[in-house]
């Protein structure tokens, strides 16, 4: 299909006025995937011309988020390239040169109108029915020598594009929207260069795209209405007009444009909540594009070989965090233990931090209902940022030093995890040492359950686990407990549930004996003793 040529050059051109949001990330993914699928070049250009809203910090955040997503650029910041610089603030000379060439052909003219005059014109036009609300062309025909004299005298002025009077409709074929046409006679003479000498967005973007040899402009459809204006600039400069592809909007679940109201909308929040970059890229790619209308799991290699513009949809896409979460789980379950541990390391170190801070002996804590659990999970945004630096380094070093032990957690959790921020709460019990934090509901439903004789069950299991002749291995320990239970006439469930609560704190922990195997015998026995003492007074 579309992936016609190696000469494809596309760009992602973020303005560093904020963090990288999901819509921007999707635009970047489409440009990147299109370049890769054609063997073309993916260029990153920072549009930092708005001095009030652009910051270096935002630029760094955007670069970091793109790197996290694994969207490597062929030309741009940190990489260089033949048509740089790649920051608009460093490209002033190219805009000046372009303006000079437009002045030379008469396609640009100076406009001396004051803001007050322009406001008054607009107000007037808005009152008149069907009135033309654009610029009225007041300075179009000022004789050249008069204009030059006023400029020389220091009179403030902008430079405008002279839209040709006889221009027919501006038409272009958008790779997503198809044939698009705008009447040229409603285009006013747009400003190219402001009175302070800075280029407007439309002017800078055209100069850059042309000078950088961009063949396809793939961007959000909020720029669709800018396109006819940009085409007029291309034509005036004599540049080839690229192919445009405008991407559909991303909506929140309520059908409104995705925004902060819907929760996290910036990419790094998802990283900090423990989402996997591969799942993010896959999910965002599906917001407006499809491989075949049905495949959901689309690994990077497939995306970068199969992406095509003709499968981008015109229909607005709906961001569905549940689906993203599901997809995240799919990617996690495909990881081997080593890859999993690389991603899990900070979350496990934080579980360690929680476990260590759990207090001594046994204690009973209130249970969290579903909503509280969800809220708690949402609050875990890179939670380690609050852990003192030195302690944090120690916790990370522990993961690095004992990778083998930490990889032992992988089989316990891999089937029951969808995002990484679930790990601290689910796994803190592995780091309690001899202490135990008992979930209130589990205590009443299991340990204090009438007629269940949980104290006897616990005592029986304790005698098995204390028996040094049984290898400290999950299967052997489980079998020995099972046999002892059978001999004593205790059903496995009634035998194992109290043990689970006394060791892991609740009834829904990861597999019990696999957990026990990971921990030292003396810690397990200490937890059981502390639980018995607290709950049964034994
Ligand atoms: N800098 C513009 C933005 O962040 C993108 C311009 C373009 O893609 O043409 O919206």
């Amino acid at each position: 299909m579309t992936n016609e040529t190696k000469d494809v050059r596309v760009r992602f051109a973020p303005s560093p006025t904020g963090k990288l949001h999901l819509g921007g990330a999707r635009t970047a993914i489409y440009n990147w995937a299109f370049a890769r699928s054609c063997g073309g070049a993916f260029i990153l250009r920072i549009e930092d011309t708005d001095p009030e809203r652009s910051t270096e910090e935002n630029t760094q955040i955007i670069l970091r988020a793109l790197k996290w997503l694994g969207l490597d650029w062929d030309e741009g910041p940190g990489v260089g390239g033949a048509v740089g610089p790649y920051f608009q603030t460093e490209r002033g000379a190219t805009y000046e040169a372009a303006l000079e060439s437009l002045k030379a052909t008469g396609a640009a003219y100076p406009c001396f109108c004051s803001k007050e005059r322009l406001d008054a014109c607009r107000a007037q036009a808005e009152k008149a029915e069907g009135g033309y609300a654009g610029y009225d062309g007041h300075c179009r025909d000022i004789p050249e020598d008069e204009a030059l004299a006023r400029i020389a005298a220091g009179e403030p002025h902008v430079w405008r594009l002279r839209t040709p009077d006889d221009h027919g409709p501006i038409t272009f074929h958008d790779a997503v929207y198809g044939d698009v046409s705008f009447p040229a006679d409603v285009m006013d003479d747009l400003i190219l260069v402001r009175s302070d000498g800075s280029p407007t967005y439309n002017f800078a973007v055209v100069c850059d795209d042309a000078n950088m040899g961009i063949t396809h402009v793939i961007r959000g459809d909020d720029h669709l209405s800018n396109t006819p204006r940009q085409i007029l600039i291309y034509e005036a400069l004599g540049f080839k007009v690229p192919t445009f592809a405008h991407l559909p909007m991303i909506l929140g679940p309520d059908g409104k444009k995705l925004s902060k109201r819907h929760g996290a909308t910036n990419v790094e929040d998802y990283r900090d909540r423990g989402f996997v970059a591969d799942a993010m890229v896959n999910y965002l790619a599906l917001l407006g594009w499809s491989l075949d209308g049905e495949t959901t799991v689309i690994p990077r290699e497939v995306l970068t070989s199969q992406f095509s513009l003709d499968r981008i949809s015109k229909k607005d896409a709906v961001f569905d965090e549940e689906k993203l979460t599901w997809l995240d789980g799919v990617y996690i379950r495909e990881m081997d233990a080593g890859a999993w541990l690389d991603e899990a390391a900070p979350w496990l170190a934080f579980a360690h931090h929680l476990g260590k801070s759990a207090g001594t002996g046994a204690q009973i804590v209130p249970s969290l209902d579903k909503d509280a659990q969800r809220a708690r999970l949402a609050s875990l945004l890179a939670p380690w940022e609050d852990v003192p630096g030195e302690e944090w380094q120690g916790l990370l070093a522990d993961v690095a030093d004992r990778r083998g032990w930490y990889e032992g957690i992988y089989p316990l959790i891999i089937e029951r995890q969808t995002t990484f921020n679930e790990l601290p709460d689910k796994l803190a019990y592995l780091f309690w040492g001899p202490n135990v934090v008992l979930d209130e509901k589990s205590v009443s439903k299991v340990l204090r359950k009438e007629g269940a004789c949980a104290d006897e069950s616990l005592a029986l299991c304790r005698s098995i686990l204390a028996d040094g002749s049984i290898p400290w291995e999950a299967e052997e320990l489980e079998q020995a407990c099972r046999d002892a239970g059978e001999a004593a006439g205790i059903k496995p469930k009634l035998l194992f549930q109290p043990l689970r609560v006394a060791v892991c704190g609740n009834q829904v922990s990861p597999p019990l004996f696999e957990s026990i195997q990971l921990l030292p015998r003396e810690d397990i026995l200490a937890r059981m003793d502390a639980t018995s003492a607290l709950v049964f007074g034994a």
Side-chain angles (χ1 to χ4, degrees):
M1 85 88 315
T2 43
N3 305 355
E4 57 270 19
T5 159
K6 283 198 171 40
D7 301 330
V8 160
R9 289 175 63 79
V10 291
R11 77 336 186 246
F12 176 51
S15 305
T17 53
K19 298 177 175 178
L20 183 64
H21 54 81
L22 297 174
R26 184 202 47 183
T27 300
I29 290 167
Y30 284 14
N31 277 285
W32 168 80
F34 183 58
R36 294 290 167 267
S37 70
C38 306
F42 173 50
I43 293 143
L44 177 61
R45 180 175 75 228
I46 304 295
E47 304 209 322
D48 54 351
T49 42
D50 180 343
E52 266 151 40
R53 295 170 60 227
S54 302
T55 68
E56 170 59 21
E57 192 194 355
N58 285 333
T59 300
Q60 291 311 323
I61 290 173
I62 292 169
L63 298 183
R64 203 171 59 203
L66 291 170
K67 282 183 194 156
W68 177 67
L69 290 171
L71 308 179
D72 52 322
W73 52 96
D74 305 303
E75 297 173 28
V79 178
V83 293
Y86 294 89
F87 288 83
Q88 282 191 328
T89 43
E90 295 171 19
R91 297 180 64 80
T94 63
Y95 310 134
E96 277 163 34
L99 181 64
E100 285 311 314
S101 82
L102 292 177
K103 286 186 204 170
T105 59
Y109 66 89
C111 166
F112 302 92
C113 291
S114 65
K115 185 175 174 307
E116 292 70 29
R117 181 182 179 275
L118 295 174
D119 288 347
C121 282
R122 196 170 305 119
Q124 185 81 29
E126 275 163 9
K127 262 192 253 154
E129 199 164 324
Y132 174 51
Y135 175 62
D136 63 358
H138 185 72
C139 296
R140 253 188 168 220
D141 300 317
I142 297 175
E144 195 183 345
D145 44 355
E146 182 192 328
L148 289 178
R150 289 170 71 173
I151 291 171
E155 190 171 336
H157 61 283
V158 300
W159 286 91
R160 289 186 183 270
L161 181 74
R162 188 186 301 278
T163 305
D165 290 327
D166 52 355
H167 201 298
I170 303 160
T171 58
F172 60 96
H173 182 81
D174 188 276
V176 177
Y177 283 85
D179 291 330
V180 183
S181 179
F182 289 83
D185 55 3
V186 302
M187 296 283 159
D188 59 359
D189 287 349
L190 63 103
I191 298 175
L192 302 169
V193 173
R194 300 185 190 92
S195 55
D196 64 0
S198 66
T200 56
Y201 155 69
N202 279 316
F203 186 48
V205 95
V206 169
C207 294
D208 290 345
D209 285 342
N211 288 326
M212 292 182 170
I214 300 302
T215 57
H216 295 71
V217 170
I218 306 170
R219 61 186 175 192
D221 69 358
D222 47 332
H223 288 292
L224 189 61
S225 60
N226 282 320
T227 306
R229 297 170 179 279
Q230 292 177 10
I231 288 175
L232 289 175
I233 302 174
Y234 277 103
E235 289 174 353
L237 285 166
F239 290 144
K240 187 170 180 296
V241 178
T243 299
F244 291 97
H246 287 94
L247 309 179
M249 266 209 282
I250 303 180
L251 308 177
D254 57 358
K256 305 225 169 83
K257 189 173 183 217
L258 190 68
S259 74
K260 284 213 181 96
R261 277 181 303 118
H262 296 103
T265 51
N266 87 69
V267 169
E268 289 199 321
D269 276 357
Y270 286 87
R271 178 200 63 184
D272 292 348
R273 286 170 59 198
F275 283 85
V276 178
D278 285 344
M280 269 326 270
V281 169
N282 185 155
Y283 182 67
L284 291 174
L286 291 174
L287 291 180
W289 176 83
S290 80
L291 180 64
D292 51 16
E294 54 187 32
T295 308
T296 318
V297 182
I298 302 173
R300 240 169 240 275
E301 319 76 78
V302 178
L303 188 60
T304 51
S305 60
Q306 306 292 313
F307 185 86
S308 66
L309 296 182
D310 64 356
R311 294 208 57 91
I312 298 177
S313 161
K314 277 200 275 267
K315 259 187 36 207
D316 292 338
V318 177
F319 183 78
D320 175 356
E321 191 165 306
E322 254 173 51
K323 191 162 171 193
L324 167 64
T325 305
W326 170 81
L327 201 53
D328 201 67
V330 171
Y331 276 88
I332 291 176
R333 283 187 291 283
E334 275 171 13
M335 294 178 178
D336 63 19
W340 174 84
L341 184 54
D342 290 342
E343 293 276 345
W347 300 98
L348 294 174
F350 189 69
H352 193 170
H353 165 79
L354 287 183
K356 273 197 329 171
S357 344
T360 49
Q363 55 181 308
I364 298 176
V365 297
S367 310
L368 295 183
D369 63 19
K370 277 240 151 52
D371 283 345
Q373 273 174 26
R374 212 170 290 136
R376 155 98 185 135
L377 212 55
S379 74
L380 290 179
L381 254 192
W384 47 83
E385 280 170 9
D386 296 330
V387 179
E390 211 172 303
E391 183 197 342
W392 184 242
Q393 289 316 317
L395 294 168
L396 282 182
D398 188 55
V399 182
D401 293 347
R402 298 195 298 136
R403 276 186 74 91
W405 183 82
Y406 279 91
E407 282 184 10
I409 303 172
Y410 168 85
L412 267 61
I413 197 74
I414 194 68
E415 291 302 328
R416 51 185 73 217
Q417 177 194 345
T418 50
T419 51
F420 278 95
N421 64 351
E422 293 168 10
L423 299 190
D425 286 345
K426 282 191 174 155
L427 297 175
Y429 74 97
L430 293 172
F431 303 95
W432 287 338
N435 310 306
V436 56
V437 181
L438 302 164
D439 161 62
E440 197 171 33
K441 242 192 221 147
S442 304
V443 170
S444 59
K445 277 195 170 165
V446 176
L447 297 180
R448 296 199 168 124
K449 186 176 174 179
E450 237 168 277
C453 304
D455 52 345
E456 274 174 41
S457 295
L458 216 47
L460 186 61
C461 289
R462 191 193 190 287
S463 67
I464 302 293
L465 295 175
D467 179 351
S469 70
I470 304 170
W472 196 251
E473 272 171 30
E475 270 179 40
E476 311 253 5
L477 294 170
E478 181 174 349
Q479 195 55 51
C481 286
R482 213 177 267 279
D483 293 345
E486 212 176 290
I490 305 176
K491 287 200 184 106
K493 191 172 171 214
L494 288 181
L495 186 68
F496 294 150
Q497 279 294 68
L499 178 62
R500 182 188 289 278
V501 176
V503 170
C504 310
N506 62 49
Q507 320 162 67
V508 292
S509 70
L512 173 60
F513 284 94
E514 283 75 2
S515 302
I516 291 177
Q517 180 188 321
L518 275 181
L519 300 173
R521 183 196 309 271
E522 59 275 17
D523 284 353
I524 297 295
L525 298 180
R527 290 183 193 186
M528 295 172 76
D529 292 344
T531 300
S532 293
L534 182 70
V535 180
F536 310 121

